[in-house]
Amino acid sequence: MKIVILGTGGRLGAALARSFEKYDLTALNREQLDLSDLDDLRSKLDPISFDVFSNAAGLTNVDACETQRDRAFLINGEAPGVLAEICNAKHAKLIHFSTDYIFDGEKRTPYTEKDEANPISFYGESKLIGEKNVLAARNHHLVVRVSWVFGPDRPSFIDAMIRRAQENEKVDAIADKFSTPTYTHDVAQMLPQFFNCTVDDSILHFATAGKCSWQEYAQRPLE
Ligand SMILES: NC(=O)c1ccc[n+]([C@@H]2O[C@H](COP(=O)([O-])OP(=O)(O)OC[C@H]3O[C@@H](n4cnc5c(N)ncnc54)[C@H](OP(=O)(O)O)[C@@H]3O)[C@@H](O)[C@H]2O)c1
């Protein structure tokens, strides 16, 4: 099976590339394939043959998406739709990563795949457009929503908490913000079962652990 991973300079993409070495793998970072250049996407991917394309790339800095809205919509919204078209032409499956930021956070119990999206940030809005564009292509593509992603390839919230604890006596973390931590290695382990899946309109919520507050999430590594 031939697999392409985009975003291998990032936290999740690097973990996927490491786990999928046993496949016929093409690992691409931003320098090799830039989602903001749609013509380049087409011309660079057209000559490559593959069965699965995993898109772990995106503009993930929530604040940067607020100030660079056009860029956020292009990279997170429009480009995934172009990737889906390219995959359709090759009868390949696109596995596209999305986020809990497509929800408004008002629900008091964990969100399910059936819940209505209602983003309240430009990051969330751009990612939701990306999801819709991928699923509109209707070729058994899969949208995987993850949250609070951590792993060894790029510092995350956990690393920031450890660093702060080393520098300060006291570390503050918000107690009324809840989500589900997700280890990049666990995403990589569960993903292959979907490589040959032929269900349309698929959205999957995946997390390593159950619900916790940001404070609990911060406390665990410090213990
Ligand atoms: N991190 C989280 O807590 C979290 C939570 C929910 C959902 N997600 C989703 O999970 C996926 C992976 O996130 P992550 O944590 O691995 O993010 P990350 O570490 O920020 O990695 C994102 C990668 O995308 C690359 N990229 C940015 N702009 C690009 C462009 N124009 N063309 C090609 N590549 C580009 C970045 O390149 P550079 O390295 O060169 O900047 C980076 O390597 C994303 O879809 C994200 O929305 C993440």
Side-chain angles (χ1 to χ4, degrees), residues 6 30 33-42 57-59 68 70-80 82-83:
L6 178 60
R30 182 153 58 104
L33 193 67
D34 186 344
L35 285 173
S36 68
D37 186 342
L38 303 184
D39 291 335
D40 200 42
L41 278 189
R42 293 186 182 94
L59 199 58
Q68 302 171 40
D70 289 349
R71 194 168 162 74
F73 283 122
L74 176 62
I75 294 170
N76 294 341
E78 204 176 341
V82 172
L83 289 179

Side-chain angles (χ1 to χ4, degrees), residues 6-7 9-13 30-31 33-36 56-60 71 75 97-100 123 127 146-149 154:
L6 178 60
R11 192 179 294 126
L12 180 57
R30 182 153 58 104
E31 283 71 42
L33 193 67
D34 186 344
L35 285 173
S36 68
L59 199 58
T60 56
R71 194 168 162 74
I75 294 170
F97 286 93
S98 191
T99 170
D100 52 343
Y123 170 62
K127 292 293 288 187
V146 288
S147 55
W148 288 5
V149 177
R154 202 171 243 198

